Amino acid sequence: VANFLLNYALITGMFGLPKLGLMGIGLVTAVVANLMALALAWHIRRHPAYEAYPLRKGLSRLNRQYLKELWRLGLPIGGTYAVEVGLFAFAALCMGTMGSTQLGAHQIALQIVSVAFMVPAGISYAITMRIGQHYGAGQLLDARLAGRVGIAFGAAAMLCFAMVFWLLPNQLVGLFLDHNNPAFRDVINLAVSLLAVAAWFELFDGVQTIAMGCIRGLKDAKTTFLVGLGCYWLIGAPAAWWMAFHLNWGPTGVWWGLALGLACAAVSLTLGFEWKMKRMIRREPQAERFEAIQPQ
């Protein structure tokens, strides 16, 4: 709320503030982000739920083992985000070579898709924690069940968004551009056609994101990075370029290429999670039998 109000105020010069335009947006974003960090630090320090955890002790004597573990997990997770963001940056570059109309339609459709993507992104974080808890307690069957439920629920949610993209594309694009203005007609028509591709795009993106969370819950971030690198840059990016410029599909070709890369990642990561869980359960048959007789 603060970000929105302050952005609008500095763009338009409300409340006597200067009209800073884009620079105002950057300034507000920086200020709000830092205030959020301070507010969260204050909350953790004051809330009674954190009293049992000595969060401020030992900061002068950093534990190398813990730092090494954080680095081992954090570096490939960051690398996975980097290769995925790089894929979408590559798509934007492809659109930019086609023209401003294509780039504008791409950005509008991508903003709509990004809002829907927040649902599987949130589910992914929740699934990582749930599977991590079960995995740490040796409850492998429960960990596998949590992963399957998360992937299925995420796919169902994305199918709902797909129906919205198919049935209400003009209304969604209308949030960004005025349908009555003839100057925007080409951008609107192209953005609507991209949303039709996004219906498939979002399904695969949601499943692969949740499947990544499942595997990370097993303390394995390297697999997600390698699968993402291969599917995004060995399949998705070349397919987007080939479909757009060699098959002459244009902007929709770029998005079909992205959808292909994300579909490969979704299938590979889901099968990878199932394979890892199957191997773990086979290694610990006693744990499996113990879990099977526990009361629900």
Side-chain angles (χ1 to χ4, degrees):
V1 173
N3 199 39
F4 171 77
L5 292 177
L6 292 174
N7 272 329
Y8 191 77
L10 284 178
I11 291 172
T12 60
M14 291 175 61
F15 312 121
L17 295 173
K19 293 184 179 181
L20 298 181
L22 290 175
M23 192 175 106
I25 296 175
L27 177 63
V28 169
T29 301
V31 171
V32 170
N34 282 282
L35 289 178
M36 283 180 62
L38 293 174
L40 288 170
W42 179 84
H43 171 74
I44 291 173
R45 181 173 182 179
R46 302 280 299 186
H47 199 281
Y50 300 96
E51 290 180 354
Y53 302 96
L55 299 176
R56 288 174 290 170
K57 294 182 179 180
L59 292 180
S60 60
R61 303 187 308 275
L62 297 179
N63 190 303
R64 291 185 179 182
Q65 180 181 353
Y66 290 153
L67 288 176
K68 183 178 179 181
E69 182 72 6
L70 290 174
W71 183 262
R72 184 184 70 82
L73 292 173
L75 185 62
I77 291 175
T80 305
Y81 284 121
V83 295
E84 186 171 9
V85 170
L87 176 64
F88 287 96
F90 172 80
L93 291 174
C94 290
M95 295 294 186
T97 63
M98 299 177 194
S100 57
T101 298
Q102 291 82 352
L103 183 59
H106 169 76
Q107 289 300 118
I108 290 173
L110 190 60
Q111 286 296 319
I112 297 171
V113 167
S114 298
V115 172
F117 175 74
M118 292 301 100
V119 173
I123 295 173
S124 175
Y125 296 139
I127 287 298
T128 297
M129 289 185 282
R130 292 291 296 171
I131 290 179
Q133 290 174 340
H134 291 310
Y135 175 64
Q139 300 166 346
L140 300 181
L141 291 179
D142 288 339
R144 183 173 65 180
L145 177 60
R148 289 176 175 178
V149 169
I151 292 172
F153 182 72
M158 291 301 99
L159 285 175
C160 293
F161 282 114
M163 293 299 296
V164 175
F165 292 165
W166 279 324
L167 298 175
L168 302 173
N170 286 286
Q171 289 82 347
L172 293 173
V173 177
L175 298 173
F176 295 84
L177 297 176
D178 183 6
H179 283 279
N180 297 321
N181 191 332
F184 299 143
R185 185 176 297 115
D186 292 339
V187 178
I188 291 173
N189 291 337
L190 182 54
V192 168
S193 66
L194 293 180
L195 283 180
V197 183
W200 298 95
F201 179 108
E202 195 75 338
L203 173 64
F204 299 136
D205 201 11
V207 171
Q208 65 100 23
T209 298
I210 297 173
M212 277 188 181
C214 293
I215 295 176
R216 288 170 184 162
L218 301 174
K219 298 185 73 174
D220 180 5
K222 184 177 179 181
T223 297
T224 59
F225 170 70
L226 294 176
V227 171
L229 180 64
C231 292
Y232 300 157
W233 284 99
L234 298 182
I235 297 175
W241 179 268
W242 184 67
M243 292 180 184
F245 298 104
H246 291 275
L247 294 183
N248 295 320
W249 290 6
T252 56
V254 174
W255 276 53
W256 278 119
L258 296 178
L260 179 61
L262 293 171
C264 293
V267 173
S268 300
L269 291 167
T270 302
L271 293 178
F273 171 70
E274 289 290 335
W275 178 74
K276 289 179 71 68
M277 291 304 313
K278 188 175 182 180
R279 285 187 60 194
M280 290 179 182
I281 291 173
R282 281 182 176 177
R283 281 185 202 163
E284 300 186 28
Q286 292 182 352
E288 182 179 2
R289 287 196 298 269
F290 176 76
E291 290 181 35
I293 62 175
Q294 293 305 300
Q296 298 299 318

